[in-house]
Amino acid sequence: MKRLRSLVRILLVPLFSLTLTGAGPGVESRPPATAAAKIAAPRQIAIDLDRAIGVKLPAITADLAPTRFRTADGREGWLVRIPGARPIATPAFWQGRLFVGGGYGSHEFYAFDAATGAVAWKIKTSDDGPTAAVVEDGCVAFNTESCTVMVLDAQTGRTLWQEWLGDPLMSQPAISRGRLYMSYPGNPRGPQVQMMQGTAGPKVSAPPGREDERGWSHRLLCAELRTGRHLWVRAIPAEVITAPVIEGEKVFLTCFDGSSLCLSAADGRILWQKNNGATSAPVVAAGQVVLTEKQTYGGEVREGIRRVTVEAGAARDTALLAAGKAEYLRAGRGGSTALSEAHLKQLDASVGFGTAPASAGLAKAAEHLNVGTVAGGWAYQGSRVAYRGGSILNAQGQYLNCVRASDGRVAWRAQARGRGVDGNAQLFAPPALGRLNLYACTAQGHVLAVRQKDGALLFAYALGTPMAFQPALAGGSLFAGTSNGMLVCLKTGDPDADGWHAWGGNAQHNKGD
């Protein structure tokens, strides 16, 4: 018995002698504290992707023709091949339809019936590369990489208005309270609007935003959703990571240079701005702003979660939470998105970019986020967090993390393992959240669900087709675009798979409780 007690002490002391900001290989630890030493270590979970149920997707004989499939354990779904075999961004759901672009380099945008996959309508865009869309008040909004923001009638696909903003556009728009927010590169040509025949009222543009004395390269536009009328334009440091985030009457955003900003939604005034090494779009929840940050410790690149105050952007944590190695962010390493560097360069070449144009401002992005191509900026989402029921959840590299929003404690951490899993690459796209479960896609073509409260794996399927973007959830189904031009629906049979209707969950990109 004495030998047994000694063995237990040997095993337990390392777990309780450090205040942990994460767990597992390469996870940062802080100096021990008396009170914190009594806190149990996070639950460790292994997800073996080699044991995922293989799904043999049926052969597709025609573009845009829905094809049904069935998994070995009885779940059903459908898939549609979109012409061009390009990466497909997160679809948006609204009133039984899915809205999705034809991918980077395409000139098509589609509405599909969410139940069957049948095409409801499609349009041809004037410029290429539709981003993920957002839908609100019967309007569907998106932008093309080159170089236009568009607002359509969601029922018919009729264009309400469109505006040339600048080349390239690598982020998505956001909608809140009848206003659209969109970033673009500052340029001497300036925005040029085109109103569609039959739209009410002339376009009245406000004066262009002032040229910032700090040399900030990009602008954030706020326009009326239905008319395109400019309300304000504000200079910002660099291109926005993925999309602006709206909470109430504040706009939160992070930029490719690592800066974070909070603006007044009413007039664009900058309320605070921080240079904090941000690596993903923020989330505003539980009275705080949550984002991921990059830091370098003795030459080792690391990424973790940071909580900051809404009022001033002041850090609430002395160290990054759930931090771990992040070689995918090291300049020149590749792997910061679920698309390979060769694939990204091929996509850029297909639209005429031998190298990224200076207007993209990617020199800062290449150094900070390892993003050196326009296609890479278009696809980059980082380790963006989501929030539900007091928990902050995200995916970093090959890990899924759950952190308590109240005190920053790591509740559990799941590590994905299996053939081809590279700890130096970004395996997961950002997860989507139901009420109880987390749903995620991988660069290797897996779709999985885990329980939010404890990280228990509920299902995992290997579809064999890589996925680079966050999925959407509606009516018990998961919807995801693949990296080779397919739209996939998996009918989970669980009503929990619902309520995550766009990238970030909603038109404000800030879905929570």
Side-chain angles (χ1 to χ4, degrees):
M1 182 61 72
K2 185 180 296 185
R3 292 179 60 190
L4 178 59
R5 285 197 297 267
S6 299
L7 179 59
V8 169
R9 282 196 298 271
I10 292 171
L11 292 174
L12 291 182
V13 165
L15 294 178
F16 291 90
S17 61
L18 296 175
T19 303
L20 297 177
T21 60
V27 176
E28 176 192 9
S29 62
R30 292 185 289 177
T34 304
K38 299 177 182 179
I39 298 175
R43 183 183 182 202
Q44 301 298 301
I45 302 150
I47 297 176
D48 186 357
L49 294 179
D50 289 342
R51 300 182 66 180
I53 297 173
V55 179
K56 184 174 176 56
L57 297 177
I60 299 176
T61 57
D63 290 339
L64 302 178
T67 304
R68 295 183 179 183
F69 67 89
R70 187 179 181 88
T71 66
D73 58 349
R75 288 189 172 97
E76 297 181 342
W78 55 257
L79 69 156
V80 170
R81 186 175 68 195
I82 296 175
R86 301 176 178 94
I88 304 300
T90 304
F93 175 88
W94 181 78
Q95 293 192 358
R97 287 182 175 176
L98 298 172
F99 301 87
V100 64
Y104 185 92
S106 79
H107 287 78
E108 288 78 34
F109 188 85
Y110 304 88
F112 294 94
D113 183 279
T116 66
V119 176
W121 53 256
K122 64 178 179 178
I123 67 162
K124 189 173 182 64
T125 60
S126 57
D127 297 311
D128 64 80
T131 58
V134 286
V135 191
E136 195 159 280
D137 297 333
C139 298
V140 55
F142 62 95
N143 58 277
T144 63
E145 169 274 314
S146 174
C147 317
T148 303
V149 61
M150 300 187 68
V151 177
L152 315 179
D153 180 276
Q155 289 286 3
T156 65
R158 180 174 65 91
T159 302
L160 300 179
W161 61 272
Q162 63 181 12
E163 181 167 1
W164 189 98
L165 290 178
D167 186 12
L169 304 178
M170 294 179 287
S171 66
Q172 310 166 21
I175 300 172
S176 179
R177 302 182 181 183
R179 296 175 295 211
L180 177 142
Y181 301 85
M182 180 69 212
S183 71
Y184 65 94
N187 59 81
R189 178 176 169 185
Q192 298 180 356
V193 72
Q194 178 185 350
M195 292 299 294
M196 298 299 108
Q197 187 174 4
T199 353
K203 169 74 166 67
V204 180
S205 292
R210 65 181 178 82
E211 291 295 324
D212 193 278
E213 65 274 11
R214 287 167 287 194
W216 286 358
S217 63
H218 281 65
R219 305 290 180 264
L220 186 69
L221 166 68
C222 174
E224 287 183 349
L225 174 61
R226 289 193 170 275
T227 69
R229 184 172 70 92
H230 288 196
L231 300 175
W232 52 261
V233 178
R234 170 62 60 184
I236 56 176
E239 175 63 285
V240 170
I241 297 176
T242 310
V245 172
I246 319 297
E247 176 63 19
E249 280 298 312
K250 290 184 172 67
V251 182
F252 298 85
L253 50 93
T254 54
C255 298
F256 278 160
D257 66 347
S259 59
S260 303
L261 294 90
C262 174
L263 287 72
S264 164
D267 57 17
R269 285 180 299 112
I270 296 177
L271 303 178
W272 54 260
Q273 186 256 333
K274 304 287 183 179
N275 296 313
N276 53 359
T279 58
S280 66
V283 166
V284 188
Q288 57 196 342
V289 182
V290 188
L291 64 159
T292 54
E293 292 182 11
K294 169 187 173 182
Q295 293 184 358
T296 301
Y297 300 86
E300 180 179 274
V301 179
R302 299 170 70 76
E303 184 180 36
I305 296 168
R306 178 83 71 186
R307 302 176 302 154
V308 306
T309 63
V310 172
E311 296 77 16
R316 294 192 59 198
D317 306 296
T318 58
L320 297 181
L321 309 174
K325 292 181 181 179
E327 288 299 304
Y328 45 85
L329 294 175
R330 189 184 294 277
R333 286 296 299 266
S336 62
T337 74
L339 302 172
S340 71
E341 195 67 18
H343 193 182
L344 294 172
K345 290 180 178 178
Q346 182 183 33
L347 289 169
D348 267 11
S350 72
V351 298
F353 288 138
T355 57
S359 58
L362 286 182
K364 296 176 182 177
E367 178 181 354
H368 179 54
L369 299 174
N370 187 28
V371 172
T373 60
V374 176
W378 180 89
Y380 179 82
Q381 300 149 87
S383 301
R384 207 260 178 142
V385 307
Y387 173 85
R388 175 72 75 178
S391 294
I392 298 164
L393 301 111
N394 83 328
Q396 291 173 198
Q398 66 189 104
Y399 291 92
L400 298 173
N401 299 308
C402 178
V403 173
R404 294 195 335 192
S406 59
D407 59 11
R409 273 190 53 199
V410 180
W412 56 261
R413 197 172 205 219
Q415 180 182 11
R417 301 170 182 171
R419 292 186 301 273
V421 174
D422 182 358
N424 294 324
Q426 190 71 287
L427 173 66
F428 293 101
L433 302 186
R435 188 172 61 88
L436 300 175
N437 304 329
L438 172 155
Y439 303 83
C441 300
T442 78
Q444 293 185 338
H446 301 93
V447 173
L448 61 152
V450 304
R451 232 175 8 228
Q452 293 172 25
K453 70 176 182 179
D454 56 13
L457 182 65
L458 302 176
F459 65 71
Y461 296 103
L463 303 184
T465 177
M467 288 166 275
F469 282 85
Q470 181 182 76
L473 308 171
S477 293
L478 178 149
F479 303 96
T482 74
S483 299
N484 62 348
M486 290 194 289
L487 181 63
V488 178
C489 166
L490 175 67
K491 299 181 178 182
T492 70
D494 186 343
D496 181 74
D498 193 16
W500 198 271
H501 291 171
W503 192 94
N506 56 21
Q508 297 78 48
H509 306 292
N510 198 49
K511 178 74 174 179
D513 289 340

